[in-house]
Amino acid sequence: MRDSRGTEFDDFVRTRSAVLLRVAFLLTGDRHAAEDLLQEVLEQVYVRWRRVQSSPEAYARRALVNRSINRWRWRARRPEQALGDHDGVARDHAEAVAVRELVVGALRALPARQRAAVVLRYLEDLPVVDVAAAMGCSEGAVKSHASRGLARLREALAGTSLVMPITGTGSSR
Amino acid sequence: MTMNDSDVRGILHRATDDLVSPPGLLAEVRRGGRRRVVRRRAVLAAVCAAVVAVPVAGVLDLPGNAGDTQLASPLLDEPTRGDLATDEGYLRQVREVWQRGMEQADDPPRGEPNIVWAGDTPAGPAAYVAHATVHGMTVGFVKPTADGPRVGTLTQVTDTETDGLEQAALLGSQRDVLVVLDFGQPAEFSPQLRYAPDGKVERTFEPVVFRDGAAVLSVPPQRTKLTVALSRTPVGRENVIHIDGTSEIYFPGNKDRPAPPLIRRTLPGAEQVWGIDPAAKEVNAPTEALAEYLDPAGAHTLNGSPLLWVYGVTPDGRRLLVETVQYDDGPSRVIALLAGNNLPFEAVASTTADWTAPLPVRLRLPDDQGVVVAAEGSALSYRAGEGQWQDAGRDAALLPATATDVRVTDANGTTTSVPVGS
């Protein structure tokens, strides 16, 4: 059964899903919720592929942000079809677990739009204009959200092992 | 203590770098996407019907009052099939265990369950049940166990499509009986996955022969991995038939599998030809270029072996992409792909990696384009014949085709010489 999406859609999912999953994870703070959210959004991309194929990632990113901000409806999942349960790395590596918990905890404390601005700006490294497009707001609002979010994130992470005392004028990590 | 922007980036990456896409995501997305398309088409058709008659395949009653959905699925009212269809004692047992199972379902049931199929199998009697609910329908298998019938996965359905449902189930303590329901479409199955010496997947599919509503197949025990593949015809990722109970195989004891280290290395000079840093962009080989190395319909876990990508450029200017594919406890297959200017990637050579060896990857490219070697965390050098050793950088390299020996110095300073081979 072939469809008009050809292999382009498959390649998009294969090449970009890991990146989008990381965004979803930081937006939701939960691995399983992130996988559910990502699958929902990719299904949406599939349905609208003809219209979004010129920039599917931007579309997917915007959908991720919107759904995470709007408290997207938890999808009833079939117990044996859960895609997750792959946190083996985290479980095996205490340091990775610690980093994740600290970061996720700090991000959770941020208002949703500040969290989205920080994640897109600093995880995805997107320019302000693209973050504004993803969040559906002005560039000024993005700067404001990112700035406030960053300040609160710094505050939350200060004193943790993730942040080392400044030595000289170099990096603080 | 403070953080600069670079620190924030670093921390966010450290918190997420280990996350990899769940296996089977693409198939799930495609299946879910198609179900959405079907629902959208149904809604659009209903809207269009006011203007012009639009033929709609299947029957789907759209949401009525108070968000309730009346599904008109054949699964809900067709007579029971199978050789136990008239065994009232077993059917009563099935209804009882099903009703208990539905007490825990999110979607409240409406009316009585319909036993779609009930039959005897070498693992004991089994059944498949459909039950109308407030929001659609719930379906699932009732499986034989030592303690009597047990309900498997309950699946909530919101449309009449059977695509995406668990149409099959593994039964028995050895999981060596596969029952496949007849949903009216031809299906094929393959009991075993094998690999050719060059790492390509070898599968033989045979038609599933249905009788009285289902097919009961003997398969190799599916205890620690799923070797069976099941698909509607034509066989393909988009037509895969879900098998109930596989999570117990993928994640025994509900424990996680070790996630693989992800290693991406861009060789010197590659970025100029690629136009980007492919490692930073996490470029993967196109599915179609890897098709002969991918299982067309099976589902697999990873065993924690590294997943490697090496990006380079060959002496004749083609883009080089080396990628590993590994399933379950099978070999870690290393595939080299080349792409000329504006041409798609083609797989040109393959081998298997031995991650316990000093030099895990050694793969000669055709047309005298060199030899790809990789040993994460090690310094590499090479020589041709009795010539001088030449530095080849760290982790991975594309050596000249004339190289005869590789010297690998690991993180502990241990040096090993390895012949390049043919």
Side-chain angles (χ1 to χ4, degrees):
Chain A
M1 191 191 299
R2 301 177 72 85
D3 71 20
S4 58
R5 293 160 191 84
T7 59
E8 287 177 336
F9 177 79
D10 292 6
D11 290 340
F12 167 68
V13 173
R14 290 185 75 230
T15 56
R16 305 311 298 161
S17 59
V19 172
L20 293 169
L21 177 66
R22 289 165 195 161
V23 172
F25 174 69
L26 291 184
L27 290 176
T28 61
D30 177 275
R31 174 66 190 261
H32 298 286
E35 288 184 353
D36 278 355
L37 175 58
L38 176 62
Q39 185 172 333
E40 289 265 346
V41 164
L42 290 177
E43 286 175 9
Q44 207 174 314
V45 172
Y46 178 94
V47 172
R48 293 174 172 82
W49 183 249
R50 272 185 224 160
R51 276 187 286 161
V52 306
Q53 69 186 119
S54 59
S55 55
E57 190 162 356
Y59 177 85
R61 206 182 285 125
R62 181 165 186 158
L64 284 176
V65 171
N66 282 340
R67 280 168 178 253
S68 66
I69 289 177
N70 295 334
R71 294 173 182 274
W72 47 279
R73 189 167 60 86
W74 190 280
R75 194 173 165 213
R77 297 205 54 97
R78 293 173 267 175
E80 294 200 73
Q81 280 220 305
L83 296 173
D85 298 335
H86 301 287
D87 289 334
V89 164
R91 199 168 285 178
D92 291 344
H93 299 99
E95 197 237 344
V97 173
V99 171
R100 245 181 230 186
E101 284 184 354
L102 284 170
V103 172
V104 166
L107 284 171
R108 268 206 194 112
L110 301 183
R113 296 186 74 78
Q114 287 182 18
R115 181 165 59 231
V118 168
V119 170
L120 295 179
R121 192 84 180 88
Y122 295 102
L123 176 72
E124 283 263 70
D125 222 3
L126 291 180
V128 171
V129 61
D130 288 355
V131 179
M135 294 178 61
C137 64
S138 70
E139 293 181 37
V142 168
K143 288 177 186 169
S144 169
H145 287 310
S147 166
R148 288 181 193 166
L150 199 56
R152 292 181 65 168
L153 193 65
R154 284 181 172 135
E155 201 176 311
L157 293 176
T160 69
S161 58
L162 294 177
V163 188
M164 304 300 287
I166 293 178
T167 53
T169 56
S171 167
S172 59
R173 200 169 66 199
Chain B
M1 297 181 195
T2 185
M3 285 189 292
N4 60 29
D5 289 1
S6 169
D7 291 329
V8 174
R9 287 190 177 90
I11 287 171
L12 295 183
H13 280 282
R14 280 169 67 194
T16 55
D17 273 352
D18 289 329
L19 295 177
V20 294
S21 303
L25 174 67
L26 177 58
E28 289 293 337
V29 165
R30 276 192 155 274
R31 188 167 294 109
R34 278 202 307 278
R35 290 165 71 82
R36 283 167 181 254
V37 170
V38 169
R39 283 195 289 271
R40 265 165 55 92
R41 281 181 189 147
V43 173
L44 288 173
V47 172
C48 293
V51 182
V52 58
V54 177
V56 184
V59 181
L60 176 65
D61 291 340
L62 293 168
N65 293 334
D68 288 3
T69 305
Q70 294 270 2
L71 274 188
S73 167
L75 296 176
L76 288 171
D77 50 30
E78 282 192 350
T80 305
R81 301 173 75 184
D83 56 8
L84 297 179
T86 56
D87 185 334
E88 278 307 322
Y90 177 64
L91 298 183
R92 188 168 54 249
Q93 272 188 311
V94 168
R95 286 191 196 94
E96 284 171 4
V97 74
W98 179 266
Q99 297 282 14
R100 283 202 299 276
M102 285 296 284
E103 287 169 8
Q104 296 162 18
D106 297 333
D107 196 4
R110 279 204 290 217
E112 291 298 311
N114 184 46
I115 301 176
V116 179
W117 175 85
D120 211 358
T121 79
Y128 186 76
V129 182
H131 203 158
T133 61
V134 171
H135 298 294
M137 174 174 71
T138 295
V139 295
F141 282 93
V142 174
K143 302 176 181 181
T145 73
D147 300 324
R150 183 179 69 87
V151 177
T153 306
L154 290 177
T155 301
Q156 291 166 22
V157 183
T158 53
D159 62 39
T160 56
E161 291 296 303
T162 53
D163 179 17
L165 298 183
E166 279 88 348
Q167 187 181 337
L170 283 164
L171 307 178
S173 59
Q174 300 295 312
R175 298 194 195 98
D176 56 357
V177 175
L178 181 68
V179 57
V180 188
L181 296 170
D182 182 1
F183 280 174
Q185 292 165 297
E188 294 177 47
F189 102 109
S190 164
Q192 286 282 22
L193 171 69
R194 293 191 176 87
Y195 302 100
D198 61 2
K200 291 176 181 170
V201 161
E202 289 185 336
R203 268 207 185 276
T204 306
F205 282 88
E206 49 194 274
V208 175
V209 180
F210 296 109
R211 192 176 65 82
D212 201 11
V216 178
L217 307 168
S218 288
V219 297
Q222 307 287 298
R223 294 195 56 77
T224 57
K225 61 182 176 180
L226 200 67
T227 67
V228 166
L230 192 58
S231 168
R232 291 187 300 278
T233 303
V235 171
R237 232 346 100 191
E238 66 277 19
N239 284 334
V240 163
I241 293 175
H242 271 299
I243 301 174
D244 183 60
T246 51
S247 72
E248 294 159 15
I249 302 170
Y250 299 141
F251 305 107
N254 206 23
K255 288 183 180 166
D256 298 337
R257 297 269 183 178
L262 307 179
I263 304 169
R264 294 179 185 271
R265 294 289 173 260
T266 300
L267 302 181
E271 288 182 42
Q272 287 175 326
V273 175
W274 283 75
I276 53 167
D277 178 358
K281 294 288 182 187
E282 299 183 354
V283 174
N284 292 334
T287 305
E288 56 191 13
L290 283 178
E292 291 181 302
Y293 299 88
L294 302 176
D295 190 356
H300 307 281
T301 57
L302 301 166
N303 70 353
S305 295
L307 295 180
L308 173 74
W309 292 262
V310 178
Y311 310 95
V313 56
T314 54
D316 65 5
R318 284 180 282 177
R319 282 174 293 155
L320 164 69
L321 169 52
V322 176
E323 185 167 330
T324 53
V325 178
Q326 194 270 325
Y327 295 148
D328 304 314
D329 56 357
S332 180
R333 295 165 291 146
V334 185
I335 301 111
L337 306 101
L338 294 178
N341 195 21
N342 294 323
L343 292 173
F345 274 104
E346 282 181 47
V348 295
S350 55
T351 186
T352 55
D354 177 1
W355 295 105
T356 64
L359 185 63
V361 173
R362 203 174 16 155
L363 179 57
R364 184 173 290 278
L365 302 179
D367 308 328
D368 290 333
Q369 294 304 299
V371 181
V372 178
V373 292
E376 180 65 7
S378 297
L380 301 165
S381 56
Y382 71 94
R383 67 176 179 179
E386 296 302 315
Q388 293 287 313
W389 287 99
Q390 308 285 326
D391 179 34
R394 297 187 64 80
D395 303 329
L398 174 58
L399 309 180
T402 52
T404 54
D405 299 279
V406 186
R407 197 161 62 186
V408 185
T409 305
D410 68 16
N412 299 322
T414 306
T415 297
T416 310
S417 287
V418 183
V420 168
S422 56

